Amino acid sequence: MIAGLLDMASWGLVLAGSLVILVGTLGLLRLPDLFTRLHGTGMTDTMGAGLLVLGMLLQTTDWLIAVKLVLILVFLAITSPTTSHALASAALYGGLTPWRLSDRKDEP
Amino acid sequence: MRHALSLFLILFGLWLIMSGHYLGWLVALGAASAALTVWIARRLEAIDHEGHPLHLAWRGMPYWGWLLVEIVKSNIDVARAILSSPAAIDPSVFKIKAGQRDELGWAVHANSITLTPGTVTMAIDADGTFTVHALTRASRQGVESGEMDRRVSRLMGEA
Amino acid sequence: MFAAAAAALLVAMAMALVRAVAGPTVYDRILAVNAIGTKTLLMIAVVGFLTRRPEFLDIALVYALINFIGTVAVTKFVKHRHLGHPANLNGEGEL
Amino acid sequence: MIELIDVALLCMMAVSALAVLWLRNLFAVAMLAGSYSLMAATLYVVLDAVDVAFTEAAVGAGISTVLMLGALTLVPHEEKPSGRHALSGLVVTVGLGALLIYATLDMPSFGDAGAPVHRHVANRYIEDSAAEVGLPNVVTSVLASYRGYDTLGETTVIFTAAIGVLAVLGWGGRPGRRRPPADGETRP
């Protein structure tokens, strides 16, 4: 009974995580410029990876694997904002102008 | 010295977790490699209060919990912005003044802003002014309300 | 279940690859490759569970670090090559 | 499912390889080569070759990208259109490719226990290396102990090559090249 519930919860988490990853990457394709696209990958790195890893955590009984899964999340949580900031600041420094709503005419 | 020791313990603990083998000879090699890394870090002068802010890990539990909820909320916000037509987004660039006193507080604050999807810290000036890019109007208001600023200040023990 | 996750990651990888090919700016490509890296590390974890041998998670951990260091290094390189250009952070007024 | 992952990854690798040929922007080419390596590394993990995957990620996605970027500082960003198509080159490449594919037809199928590689010393490595060498990782035992002299020779060659390259490039001895950071620059 408990095992079945855990299995269902893990199903839900993994599927939700996959969905978040898909939506975030869709943002990478659909959004109009670099600065807005950064938010899409931010979704993948935080909630997408988080839900996916949580779902995997429920599938394992080995504590070593559980610790490694949590470590993946911790590393992502530290490195993802640093990467985003480095990219945004470099793009700003390189003279890229953020897209505004008034630029929409350029978009198909 | 206290920081060097804690760095050694973290590295060695990480080694133990990753290796999964607990023979005496191998564990000794792991300890030696952790010690070598600490020695190199000392030579690089990378060991200090900012290098691995352990004091924040425990005291910050309520903050990390709050941040998690914020991340989930903003994820839903960004997902809605992506899935609805591109007209739903309204990107803007604005500046806020961080209330923290030192660079570590700024780093925590700026990283928290970036970690919540929908807002990215683009630049930090020498006086603690952040330039932030926001995807939607709601995400901009979330940062401008200053709640995160207050919470980070409390986390850093400044307020 | 993990098959569905693997399929989703493959589709996401393909979309990121489209962004990497299409660009248009240098930074878009860096972002796309970074996104592919994140998906790769999740993929390795998922494949481990799919084949019921999740012992290879340390490889995913190492990938997380390589991806991070690589992206920051590339970003730094791009930024410093532009060091001689007039654009700088104090010119934000034109944003 | 695993076969499907293999096929999908190979397709994406083919797409990025074609894009590398197609694109003229050299920076984009360097980035795409990096993503090609990442996908190749995933493929190796799927094929259970974890050590190879790790090397591919470190060398292919890491060091080669850095080397290509280093080369990019010395050359223009755009590839010059050459205008002429070398037909002989195409013939040689396609011929060689066909020959290689023909050669793979003779190879034992993937994972075949009766393949020649699995009938020689491999069994002894797998069964006895833990007792004979005392290391948990068989690959490490093979590289560092059974083929120790071979590895010593390899590392000597690489070390010598690195010293040679450093001697040609010069190691840090160029004053005046380093600029101080501009005002207001933030550290990423």
Side-chain angles (χ1 to χ4, degrees):
Chain A
M1 181 60 199
I2 298 283
L5 275 180
L6 275 182
D7 216 33
M8 266 162 63
S10 127
W11 262 86
L13 285 169
V14 167
L15 290 184
S18 312
L19 198 70
V20 171
I21 288 171
L22 278 180
V23 171
T25 319
L26 190 69
L28 188 67
L29 272 187
R30 270 188 82 174
L31 293 174
D33 79 331
L34 174 90
F35 298 102
T36 49
R37 282 170 200 149
L38 275 175
H39 305 304
T41 53
M43 265 180 76
T44 313
D45 290 357
T46 55
M47 205 162 135
L51 289 175
L52 207 57
V53 167
L54 269 183
M56 290 191 235
L57 268 178
L58 293 183
Q59 287 282 326
T60 181
T61 46
D62 189 342
W63 68 272
L64 208 63
I65 289 169
V67 170
K68 283 178 190 170
L69 280 172
V70 171
L71 272 179
I72 289 180
L73 266 196
V74 170
F75 279 8
L76 267 182
I78 296 171
T79 57
S80 153
T82 316
T83 318
S84 293
H85 167 72
L87 253 176
S89 105
L92 197 66
Y93 195 77
L96 212 65
T97 320
W99 184 89
R100 303 300 302 266
L101 203 56
S102 50
D103 298 341
R104 186 145 42 107
K105 286 178 289 296
D106 304 341
E107 292 295 312
Chain B
M1 197 59 223
R2 199 162 55 90
H3 287 112
L5 194 68
S6 73
L7 180 64
F8 174 78
L9 288 179
I10 291 174
L11 287 174
F12 189 41
L14 207 60
W15 187 93
L16 285 176
I17 290 169
M18 301 300 249
S19 97
H21 294 280
Y22 304 111
L23 298 165
W25 163 239
L26 293 177
V27 172
L29 280 181
S33 60
L36 180 70
T37 314
V38 171
W39 181 71
I40 292 173
R42 270 184 84 97
R43 276 193 54 122
L44 287 170
E45 295 172 5
I47 298 179
D48 57 9
H49 176 72
E50 282 181 18
H52 56 296
L54 269 189
H55 54 288
L56 295 182
W58 303 117
R59 210 174 57 207
M61 278 307 163
Y63 178 72
W64 305 128
W66 176 80
L67 189 63
L68 207 65
V69 175
E70 286 301 301
I71 287 174
V72 172
K73 277 198 277 188
S74 57
N75 257 296
I76 296 168
D77 190 42
V78 173
R80 198 178 294 143
I82 291 172
L83 287 178
S84 59
S85 76
I89 64 169
D90 181 15
S92 55
V93 177
F94 60 98
K95 288 183 186 248
I96 57 160
K97 180 88 178 74
Q100 291 75 43
R101 254 178 265 133
D102 58 350
E103 291 183 348
L104 181 60
W106 294 350
V108 172
H109 189 183
N111 269 348
S112 302
I113 290 177
T114 312
L115 201 55
T116 46
T119 46
V120 169
T121 313
M122 297 204 292
I124 304 173
D125 289 348
D127 62 342
T129 308
F130 295 177
T131 309
V132 182
H133 184 275
L135 182 65
T136 62
R137 215 167 292 137
S139 48
R140 173 175 183 161
Q141 278 156 8
V143 173
E144 282 185 332
S145 71
E147 187 178 2
M148 185 178 276
D149 189 41
R150 277 192 300 280
R151 283 180 185 266
V152 174
S153 289
R154 204 178 312 147
L155 168 70
M156 304 305 294
E158 291 176 0
Chain C
M1 161 178 62
F2 289 116
L9 282 170
L10 282 175
V11 173
M13 256 190 208
M15 290 201 280
L17 186 62
V18 170
R19 180 49 71 203
V21 173
T25 67
V26 167
Y27 310 102
D28 287 300
R29 295 182 207 275
I30 302 176
L31 181 65
V33 171
N34 181 49
I36 292 178
T38 312
K39 266 132 221 162
T40 304
L41 86 92
L42 289 175
M43 185 79 184
I44 288 168
V46 168
V47 165
F49 276 87
L50 189 66
T51 53
R52 307 200 172 280
R53 291 172 61 199
E55 291 86 21
F56 297 140
L57 278 176
D58 0 19
I59 304 291
L61 270 171
V62 172
Y63 272 40
L65 291 182
I66 287 181
N67 195 25
F68 167 66
I69 295 168
T71 308
V72 170
V74 171
T75 314
K76 270 197 101 110
F77 161 79
V78 170
K79 194 168 170 181
H80 283 256
R81 200 171 52 172
H82 284 268
L83 208 61
H85 288 225
N88 64 50
L89 284 179
N90 299 328
E92 282 159 348
E94 62 202 66
L95 290 180
Chain D
M1 185 59 209
I2 294 292
E3 286 81 13
L4 211 69
I5 295 177
D6 287 349
V7 171
L9 280 171
L10 282 171
C11 284
M12 281 192 264
M13 284 166 71
V15 167
S16 40
L18 285 175
V20 164
L21 288 178
W22 185 260
L23 288 173
R24 294 271 166 215
N25 183 327
L26 292 177
F27 185 86
V29 167
M31 288 289 98
L32 277 169
S35 66
Y36 178 91
S37 286
L38 280 174
M39 285 184 270
T42 321
L43 191 68
Y44 294 141
V45 171
V46 176
L47 291 174
D48 263 359
V50 180
D51 302 78
V52 186
F54 179 58
T55 314
E56 175 69 41
V59 176
I63 295 174
S64 331
T65 311
V66 171
L67 287 181
M68 277 194 264
L69 290 179
L72 268 182
T73 56
L74 306 174
V75 298
H77 296 193
E78 294 286 324
E79 182 189 346
K80 270 193 202 133
S82 70
R84 67 195 170 89
H85 301 282
L87 192 68
S88 55
L90 183 72
V91 170
V92 169
T93 316
V94 170
L96 187 64
L99 207 64
L100 286 173
I101 290 173
Y102 174 70
T104 59
L105 295 180
D106 274 350
M107 277 166 56
S109 60
F110 179 68
D112 182 6
V117 255
H118 298 142
R119 302 175 65 89
H120 193 42
V121 284
N123 289 329
R124 182 173 156 204
Y125 290 158
I126 291 168
E127 278 157 21
D128 301 340
S129 76
E132 284 182 354
V133 185
L135 287 175
N137 188 326
V138 180
V139 177
T140 309
S141 300
V142 171
L143 286 181
S145 177
Y146 294 112
R147 295 186 201 156
Y149 286 116
D150 186 35
T151 308
L152 182 67
E154 281 174 14
T155 42
T156 309
V157 168
I158 292 176
F159 186 64
T160 317
I163 289 178
V165 169
L166 288 182
V168 170
L169 290 180
W171 183 255
R174 276 182 295 179
R177 278 295 297 268
R178 228 178 253 171
R179 299 187 193 88
D183 281 355
E185 186 199 358
T186 52
R187 281 165 291 179

